């Protein structure tokens, strides 16, 4: 694989790899380091990439494994899960505050999930990946993916309804 092919297939994934790393490691610096490390490793293995069915799935799996290794080794400096992809276009301050409270509640809920479920939610709901792609990355059966996502959504919905019924936005 030459530099142009590598750039077209792999460098275009850099933002997605960064978002996944940030979801797992939380720290922007750690996520940038992780995504750069993965890109470096992919460059070293560029000749092997041509034989893969999905370079994207391979890169995401590498990112996931690298981040999980960092967390296991307690090298990550910040383990708090932060959702920073949200930008409000609304000028309504009250609505903005309510939406931020909802996001904080979602983040708090996601922190309670096991890492595998956090990653599953990230890949499907944030990255918008298809079930077959997630199946390859997480090595889960499609039925297990659907059931897990359904349970996560149900628990999240219950948490949101519970908080809203107490008058907390």
């Amino acid at each position: 694989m030459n530099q142009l092919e590598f750039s077209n297939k792999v460098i275009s994934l850099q933002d997605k790899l960064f978002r996944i790393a940030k979801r797992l490691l939380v720290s922007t610096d750690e996520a940038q380091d992780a995504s750069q490390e993965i890109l470096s490793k992919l460059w070293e293995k560029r000749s092997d990439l041509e034989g893969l069915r999905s370079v994207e799935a391979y890169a995401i799996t590498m990112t996931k494994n690298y981040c999980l290794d960092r967390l296991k080794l307690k090298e990550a400096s910040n383990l708090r899960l932060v959702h920073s992809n949200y930008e409000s276009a609304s000028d309504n301050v009250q609505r903005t505050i309510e939406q931020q409270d909802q996001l904080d509640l979602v983040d708090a809920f996601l922190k309670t999930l096991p890492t595998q479920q956090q990653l599953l939610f990230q890949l499907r709901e944030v990255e918008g990946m298809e079930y077959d792609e997630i199946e390859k990355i997480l090595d889960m059966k499609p039925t297990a993916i659907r059931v897990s996502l359904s349970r996560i959504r149900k628990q999240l919905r219950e948490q949101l309804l519970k908080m809203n019924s107490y008058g907390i936005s």
Side-chain angles (χ1 to χ4, degrees):
M1 179 178 288
N2 64 34
Q3 187 174 358
L4 181 60
E5 291 172 327
F6 183 83
S7 179
N8 289 339
K9 288 185 179 178
V10 178
I11 300 298
S12 62
L13 300 173
Q14 185 173 7
D15 288 339
K16 185 178 279 192
L17 299 179
F18 170 77
R19 288 190 305 269
I20 290 169
K22 183 147 177 28
R23 174 61 69 185
L24 292 171
L25 299 174
V26 178
S27 165
T28 300
D29 292 336
E30 292 269 350
Q32 286 173 339
D33 290 346
S35 60
Q36 287 301 315
E37 182 68 25
I38 296 303
L39 289 175
S40 175
K41 288 180 180 184
L42 288 167
W43 175 254
E44 291 170 6
K45 296 180 179 200
R46 67 185 176 276
S47 60
D48 299 336
L49 298 179
E50 293 176 10
L52 298 175
R53 281 190 351 201
S54 174
V55 174
E56 180 181 11
Y58 183 73
I60 290 172
T61 301
M62 283 181 68
T63 303
K64 174 194 78 164
N65 291 337
Y66 180 84
C67 293
L68 293 177
D69 287 346
R70 298 272 301 188
L71 290 172
K72 285 178 188 172
L73 295 172
K74 299 187 189 240
E75 291 178 7
S77 62
N78 185 1
L79 298 179
R80 190 173 164 283
L81 181 62
V82 177
H83 179 73
S84 61
N85 294 338
Y86 176 76
E87 294 179 30
S88 175
S90 173
D91 291 80
N92 182 342
V93 175
Q94 180 64 30
R95 181 172 176 183
T96 302
I97 292 170
E98 289 174 1
Q99 289 173 339
Q100 187 58 50
D101 288 346
Q102 291 282 330
L103 283 175
D104 291 344
L105 183 61
V106 170
D107 284 340
F109 168 74
L110 290 175
K111 279 193 273 188
T112 65
L113 296 175
T115 305
Q116 179 87 351
Q117 288 183 339
Q118 288 180 24
L119 187 57
L120 176 61
F121 189 85
Q122 170 78 21
L123 292 174
R124 180 64 183 164
E125 302 302 336
V126 177
E127 301 299 332
M129 294 182 77
E130 297 297 324
Y131 290 104
D132 58 335
E133 295 172 303
I134 297 171
E135 178 184 358
K136 293 174 195 169
I137 294 167
L138 297 180
D139 194 30
M140 292 176 70
K141 294 184 179 185
T143 312
I145 293 170
R146 286 183 177 83
V147 168
S148 291
L149 282 170
S150 175
R151 288 179 181 162
I152 292 168
R153 289 181 193 121
K154 181 180 179 187
Q155 290 173 343
L156 179 58
R157 190 176 317 113
E158 289 171 357
Q159 288 291 323
L160 291 172
L161 289 173
K162 182 178 172 183
M163 288 303 179
N164 285 333
S165 69
Y166 291 126
I168 302 171
S169 298

